[in-house]
Amino acid sequence: ADADGPHQVAVDAGSVLDFTEAPADVHAAVAGFAGAGFDLTVELPVRARVLRLGAQEHVLVLVLHHIAADGVSVAPLARDLIAAYAARTAGAAPAWAPLPVQYADYTLWQRETLGDPDDPDSTTARQREFWTRTLAGLPDRIVLPADRPGPAVQSGASADVAFTVDADVHARLRAVAATENATVFMTVHAALVALLSRLGAGDDIAVGTAVAGRGAAELDDLVGMFVNTVVLRTPVRPEVTFADLVAQVREADLAAFAHADLPFDQVVEAVRPARSTAHHPLFQVSLALADFAAPTLELDGLGIAVEDIARDSSQFDLALELREHTGD
């Protein structure tokens, strides 16, 4: 950054690949490498390591800082990785077609779209007014049932709990969504806030979610950070039917998504909630229904498998992450 603000600097990446002989505990080695932080003042936001488990078995660990990539980026990145591997094993350099736009083009477009915050007709000003009005009086936090008091300073320690919703429940969710002219996400959102309210979280519940931020086809194959966080606020009244709650959630979610250009940090700045080291501002529960393509890893003569690693940190009290599977 300089006196005019942040700007892009292209640097020589050099080698980001670190080859390591077989570790004693491959899972611990992967977790340690993936969990190490980035110092973005001196480091690239990407690093890679190859763990050699045997003559024909290796583990590739590719770690990306969220500032450099989002979930949608994984598919084109994996495709480029496979193309590069195929080319290099054939003794050639990968022949990638130039992308129509670069991330820097997107940042300039976003800056132009948001406009001057001092202009009352700008996108920034209009969306700031929407969020200030929509989130006025929002409770500082919702209270979730727990077996012990939360720490005064959020530790971030967490654990993953995997579960599967059976096909019958999934089909009924889709049926309810179709009947109420809503999406599956909106239907699950309504069910989540109803459950949280019943568990004692109150009658004014905010849930955070991520929006892809890729509104143009030219961005589909671009690796970068486009995601923004949106706050979805729902009042819950016991006398309202679930169908009416879905309709209410639908309208509120559509309005929120229509004002999703303003970066989340600017929403926080505009709403000015009471800040605390004990919890995330504006919402403490997140909901995600992944709808982006899973990476395809196929290459002749090479068997590839994707291995999950356990995450041990989260900035939220509760994060519900779902993915639909059909036809399997």
Side-chain angles (χ1 to χ4, degrees), residues 69-134:
D70 53 23
V72 179
S73 300
V74 176
L77 183 62
R79 186 170 62 246
D80 286 351
L81 180 63
I82 291 297
Y85 184 90
R88 294 300 182 185
T89 54
W96 291 305
L99 293 172
V101 295
Q102 298 292 326
Y103 192 77
D105 300 314
Y106 164 77
T107 62
L108 294 173
W109 171 84
Q110 183 189 47
R111 184 173 182 177
E112 180 180 352
T113 298
L114 291 175
D116 185 349
D118 295 328
D119 177 2
D121 293 325
S122 68
T123 298
T124 291
R126 293 197 307 270
Q127 294 199 8
R128 181 189 291 148
E129 189 278 330
F130 168 84
W131 289 113
T132 302
R133 171 170 39 85
T134 300

Side-chain angles (χ1 to χ4, degrees), residues 108-203:
L108 294 173
W109 171 84
Q110 183 189 47
R111 184 173 182 177
E112 180 180 352
T113 298
L114 291 175
D116 185 349
D118 295 328
D119 177 2
D121 293 325
S122 68
T123 298
T124 291
R126 293 197 307 270
Q127 294 199 8
R128 181 189 291 148
E129 189 278 330
F130 168 84
W131 289 113
T132 302
R133 171 170 39 85
T134 300
L135 301 180
L138 183 71
D140 291 338
R141 73 176 304 176
I142 61 174
V143 179
L144 300 177
D147 61 352
R148 70 199 70 185
V153 178
Q154 189 178 33
S155 69
S158 71
D160 290 346
V161 179
F163 66 94
T164 301
V165 175
D166 65 50
D168 180 60
V169 173
H170 181 217
R172 283 187 284 168
L173 276 171
R174 293 174 68 93
V176 170
T179 299
E180 302 304 326
N181 194 29
T183 63
V184 173
F185 173 88
M186 295 169 182
T187 308
V188 172
H189 179 201
L192 176 61
V193 297
L195 175 63
L196 292 175
S197 180
R198 178 168 291 187
L199 292 175
D203 57 5

